[in-house]
């Protein structure tokens, strides 16, 4: 099977309908793996042959689009309160494997991690690399995007665009099982947001603000208090199992 490479959209230049040139980190990766002109590789969603190589770019002939593999039937976006380094990497990696479409880290009142603008950009780039590697590892042929980090108030606006939003909150008693059944009955299950707080959880006033939106479901994940990374993967696993048909 041809080796797959994931190239950022801004690092692709389309020459015509059947040819493109790629730049960036994956060029070096292709060179390190000793690929040559004529080799068959997969770049994002395309089967390609290498037509030319130089130190900073690789030119490719596009043969066809690859057959979609591992792509869920629902679009799930994970909003996760910004976690410390290894924990955040872990959540992104496993969320990709479980089928999430987008990951959006956010900053709320109880988030411990503090980053300036430059640090946010670097962290987002690192997390995108983690997501790309996870896509390769689990065989997904789509791309999972780690989006720009959001402040809590911006997140409140962005979740308005989803069919349904599920919030895990340790102080709530609502059954997740009943909530998912209600979502199935309403047939609003194609474009879903999942929201998990950071290590410190959500402030009560933040939960009240989120509940002002339509199609918001706040749920309990049981009587045991889960770590943020555990809660994210627990909720995501259940949602994908129940709704990805």
């Amino acid at each position: 099977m041809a080796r797959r490479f994931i190239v950022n959209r801004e690092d692709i230049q389309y020459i015509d309908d059947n040819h493109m040139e790629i730049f960036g980190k994956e060029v070096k990766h292709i060179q390190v793996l000793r690929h040559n002109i004529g080799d068959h590789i997969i770049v994002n969603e395309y089967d390609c042959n290498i037509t030319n190589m130089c130190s900073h770019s690789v030119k490719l002939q596009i043969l066809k689009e690859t057959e979609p593999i591992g792509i869920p039937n629902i679009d799930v976006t994970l909003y996760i309160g910004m976690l410390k380094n290894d924990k955040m990497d872990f959540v992104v990696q496993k969320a990709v494997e479980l089928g999430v479409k987008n990951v959006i880290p956010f900053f709320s009142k109880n988030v411990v991690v503090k980053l300036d603008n430059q640090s946010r950009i670097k962290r987002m780039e690192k997390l995108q690399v983690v997501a790309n590697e996870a896509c390769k590892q689990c065989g997904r042929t789509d791309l999972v995007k780690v989006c720009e980090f959001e402040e809590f108030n911006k997140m409140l606006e962005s979740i308005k665009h989803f069919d349904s939003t599920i919030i895990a909150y340790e102080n709530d008693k609502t059954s997740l099982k009943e909530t998912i059944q209600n979502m199935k009955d309403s047939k609003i299950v194609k474009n879903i947001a999942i929201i998990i707080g950071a290590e410190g959880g959500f402030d009560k006033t933040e939960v009240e603000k989120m509940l002002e939106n339509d199609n918001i479901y706040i749920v309990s994940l049981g009587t045991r208090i889960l770590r943020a990374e555990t809660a994210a993967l627990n909720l995501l696993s259940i949602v994908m199992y129940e709704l990805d048909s």
Side-chain angles (χ1 to χ4, degrees):
M1 182 177 179
R3 189 181 297 272
R4 183 166 183 250
F5 299 89
I6 296 180
V7 179
N8 294 331
R9 298 297 182 186
E10 59 269 24
D11 290 330
I12 299 176
Q13 179 180 333
Y14 290 94
I15 299 169
D16 55 40
D17 290 343
N18 299 312
H19 296 85
M20 64 182 180
E21 186 171 9
I22 61 173
F23 305 85
K25 295 180 180 178
E26 289 289 59
V27 169
K28 182 66 174 177
H29 192 192
I30 291 170
Q31 294 168 345
V32 167
L33 292 172
R34 299 185 182 278
H35 280 294
N36 294 306
I37 293 172
D39 283 358
H40 176 211
I41 62 174
I42 298 173
V43 174
N44 294 354
E45 68 271 31
Y46 298 113
D47 274 312
C48 303
N49 280 341
I50 298 174
T51 60
N52 191 39
M53 299 179 68
C54 63
S55 61
H56 66 280
S57 71
V58 174
K59 290 184 178 180
L60 302 161
Q61 178 189 12
I62 301 172
L63 303 177
K64 63 178 181 178
E65 289 193 11
T66 58
E67 181 181 351
I69 299 174
I71 302 175
N73 293 317
I74 58 173
D75 288 343
V76 177
T77 294
L78 173 64
Y79 288 85
I80 178 77
M82 192 67 194
L83 305 174
K84 296 175 182 177
N85 289 334
D86 291 345
K87 293 180 180 180
M88 200 69 191
D89 291 358
F90 176 79
V91 169
V92 170
Q93 181 189 68
K94 300 310 175 187
V96 170
E97 293 177 25
L98 290 169
V100 76
K101 182 64 177 176
N102 302 291
V103 179
I104 305 180
F106 66 87
F107 291 86
S108 57
K109 184 176 180 179
N110 292 330
V111 169
V112 176
V113 179
K114 306 298 180 185
L115 299 173
D116 58 27
N117 289 336
Q118 186 174 3
S119 297
R120 289 189 184 194
I121 293 172
K122 290 182 178 179
R123 192 73 183 98
M124 183 173 66
E125 290 175 347
K126 170 66 187 310
L127 290 173
Q128 186 63 62
V129 171
V130 172
N132 291 349
E133 292 301 318
C135 279
K136 295 179 189 177
Q137 185 277 325
C138 70
R140 291 180 65 163
T141 54
D142 61 337
L143 301 178
V144 176
K145 184 176 182 181
V146 178
C147 302
E148 184 176 345
F149 300 174
E150 294 186 358
E151 298 296 333
F152 180 79
N153 287 336
K154 183 177 180 181
M155 183 187 72
L156 288 179
E157 290 298 314
S158 63
I159 61 176
K160 292 179 180 179
H161 302 291
F162 291 90
D163 296 333
S164 302
T165 298
I166 304 175
I167 305 164
Y169 183 47
E170 65 273 14
N171 293 326
D172 197 81
K173 304 299 182 183
T174 305
S175 165
L176 175 58
K177 185 176 182 179
E178 291 179 6
T179 296
I180 289 180
Q181 187 58 54
N182 290 337
M183 292 173 64
K184 288 180 177 179
D185 293 342
S186 67
K187 298 181 180 179
I188 307 179
V189 295
K190 287 297 182 183
N191 187 22
I192 301 170
I194 290 175
I195 303 179
I196 303 291
E199 288 95 341
F202 286 113
D203 182 78
K204 183 178 179 180
T205 58
E206 292 174 333
V207 175
E208 292 172 350
K209 287 181 180 179
M210 286 189 283
L211 286 173
E212 293 174 1
N213 283 314
D214 295 330
N215 296 321
I216 293 287
Y217 300 90
I218 184 166
V219 300
S220 166
L221 297 181
T223 57
R224 296 174 297 279
I225 302 298
L226 304 179
R227 292 179 182 271
E229 59 269 31
T230 308
L233 304 186
N234 182 3
L235 182 52
L236 181 55
S237 297
I238 293 170
V239 167
M240 297 305 296
Y241 176 80
E242 291 287 344
L243 302 180
D244 182 25
S245 56

